[in-house]
């Protein structure tokens, strides 16, 4: 059983805020860190003087005592017309995805980030699964080569509708790559309800100490829509209890990309609800402990 969980909030849900203002807001609310999506708005990885800009962000995070993970789910950064394209499994442009992730690894190393998170992409129509796996393995291997040299942990996220859409797929990817220690798991709690074949606690325990990054949102079965805490079917008492049970010590960061218009209020009540759920899970775990012998 780990100690109290550490909570973060994703900058993809703070797109109406400057990055410094977003960090200050979250720190003032009591968050432990930030999940930083590298995009045109927040630390654009393709704009000039990236190392210098990254160093400025690192200093600000340090001043505010904020941990960081690097996220790479920018929607239109690589292609202004096609969401999330190109990817590891696209017919064309896969090298652009690898280049983006190489930049993300460099940023993560310079920030001292706990992980850099990414996913497979949607398999194009007419491309068979075997070809998709070949493309994915080759691209991820290129990213891991740099990540291992820079000492960065990569966390692969199963995404509903993508070529790798469940935890089992991530474990298969790791197997095909030789189970590298540098490739771990991003687990989105909403995705577990939406798409995973197992229940929440079983999924978390199956991932176990491979979990390097957690995304937090609510969701309902079969619908990939990130909802505010308490508006879907995620059992957060169960989820947070399971994360503590497996000893998870990384950030658990809210991912609410559609809530930027109300981010300050959403961030405040989300943290309050998560802390209440965690407290309840701790109380329930304590109640399950056997009584001391002298009290029997």
């Amino acid at each position: 059983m780990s100690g109290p969980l550490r909570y973060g909030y994703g900058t993809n849900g703070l797109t109406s805020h400057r990055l410094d203002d977003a960090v200050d807001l979250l720190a003032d609310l009591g968050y432990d860190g930030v999940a930083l999506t590298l995009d045109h708005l927040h630390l654009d990885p393709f704009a000039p003087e990236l190392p210098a800009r990254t160093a400025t962000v690192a200093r600000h995070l340090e001043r505010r005592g904020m941990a960081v993970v690097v996220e790479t789910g920018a929607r239109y950064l690589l292609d202004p017309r096609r969401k999330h394209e190109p990817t590891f499994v696209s017919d064309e442009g896969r090298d652009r995805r690898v280049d983006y992730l190489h930049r993300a690894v460099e940023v993560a190393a310079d920030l001292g980030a706990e992980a850099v998170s990414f996913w497979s992409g949607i398999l194009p129509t007419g491309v068979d699964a075997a070809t998709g796996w070949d493309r994915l393995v080759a691209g991820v291997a290129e990213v891991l080569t740099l990540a291992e040299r820079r000492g960065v942990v990569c966390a692969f996220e199963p995404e509903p509708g993508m070529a790798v859409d469940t935890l089992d797929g991530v474990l298969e990817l790791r197997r095909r790559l030789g189970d590298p220690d540098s490739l771990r798991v991003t687990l989105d709690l909403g995705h577990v309800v939406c798409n995973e074949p197992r229940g929440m606690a079983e999924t978390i325990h199956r991932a176990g100490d491979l979990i390097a990054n957690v995304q937090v949102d609510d969701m309902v079965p079969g619908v990939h829509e990130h909802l505010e805490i308490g508006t879907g079917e995620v059992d957060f008492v169960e989820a947070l209890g399971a994360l503590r049970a497996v000893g998870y010590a990384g950030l658990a960061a809210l991912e609410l990309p559609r809530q930027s218009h109300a981010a300050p209020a959403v961030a405040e009540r989300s943290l309050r609800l998560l802390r209440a759920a965690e407290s309840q899970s701790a109380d329930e775990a304590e109640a399950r402990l056997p009584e001391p012998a002298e009290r029997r």
Side-chain angles (χ1 to χ4, degrees):
M1 180 73 68
S2 70
L5 293 170
R6 299 161 57 239
Y7 295 108
Y9 201 96
T11 60
N12 63 351
L14 288 155
T15 55
S16 296
H17 287 71
R18 299 178 185 89
L19 181 54
D20 281 357
D21 290 341
V23 170
D24 288 338
L25 168 68
L26 298 176
D28 291 344
L29 287 173
Y31 280 89
D32 301 291
V34 59
L36 172 59
T37 297
L38 302 185
D39 206 344
H40 62 90
L41 178 63
H42 294 146
L43 197 54
D44 185 345
F46 295 102
E49 300 182 353
L50 179 59
R53 290 185 290 114
T54 302
T56 299
V57 173
R59 288 191 293 271
H60 190 62
L61 290 168
E62 184 176 8
R63 281 195 300 271
R64 296 311 311 262
M66 297 287 273
V68 62
V69 296
V70 171
E71 294 281 355
T72 58
R75 289 188 176 98
Y76 293 101
L77 183 65
L78 302 184
D79 188 322
R81 294 174 177 82
R82 298 182 303 156
K83 179 182 175 181
H84 291 323
E85 290 288 337
T87 72
F88 283 119
V89 297
S90 297
D91 288 325
E92 298 177 348
R94 296 187 298 277
D95 57 326
R96 292 166 58 204
R97 175 62 55 175
V98 171
D99 176 51
Y100 173 40
L101 294 176
H102 277 170
R103 293 166 187 260
V105 168
E106 296 286 5
V107 168
D110 291 346
L111 290 178
E114 297 181 3
V116 56
S117 180
F118 51 86
W119 31 249
S120 63
I122 298 172
L123 198 65
T125 301
V127 175
D128 60 49
T131 300
W133 274 112
D134 288 345
R135 292 175 178 179
L136 179 61
V137 169
V140 173
E142 286 190 67
V143 176
L144 292 182
T145 297
L146 177 61
E148 289 166 356
R149 188 164 70 245
R150 294 286 272 142
V152 171
V153 171
C154 294
F156 197 96
E157 179 186 5
E159 278 272 356
M162 291 194 177
V164 173
D165 59 354
T166 64
L167 173 61
D168 287 346
V170 182
L171 299 180
E172 173 62 17
L173 174 61
R174 294 189 77 254
R175 185 192 68 78
R176 290 175 183 240
L177 286 161
D179 291 320
D181 187 56
S182 57
L183 182 62
R184 304 189 193 175
V185 175
T186 289
L187 194 67
D188 184 307
L189 300 182
H191 292 175
V192 177
V193 165
C194 173
N195 196 56
E196 289 287 345
R198 302 175 183 85
M200 181 66 71
E202 185 178 357
T203 300
I204 290 172
H205 281 273
R206 180 169 172 76
D209 60 7
L210 289 176
I211 303 173
N213 182 37
V214 170
Q215 297 170 351
V216 182
D217 47 73
D218 218 334
M219 218 166 275
V220 298
V223 181
H224 187 199
E225 181 179 354
H226 292 240
L227 305 173
E228 275 196 63
I229 305 303
T231 63
E233 297 185 23
V234 173
D235 183 336
F236 287 98
V237 174
E238 177 188 20
L240 302 182
L243 287 171
R244 291 187 62 180
V246 300
Y248 179 66
L251 283 177
L254 276 294
E255 185 171 33
L256 297 172
R258 299 184 182 184
Q259 303 300 329
S260 286
H261 66 286
V266 172
E268 186 279 328
R269 63 176 169 257
S270 295
L271 184 58
R272 175 167 36 85
L273 290 171
L274 288 173
R275 285 176 169 165
E278 183 181 357
S279 178
Q280 183 179 339
S281 74
D283 289 345
E284 292 181 0
E286 184 176 358
R288 290 192 295 269
L289 293 175
E291 291 186 6
E294 62 270 18
R295 291 173 52 191
R296 293 178 186 166

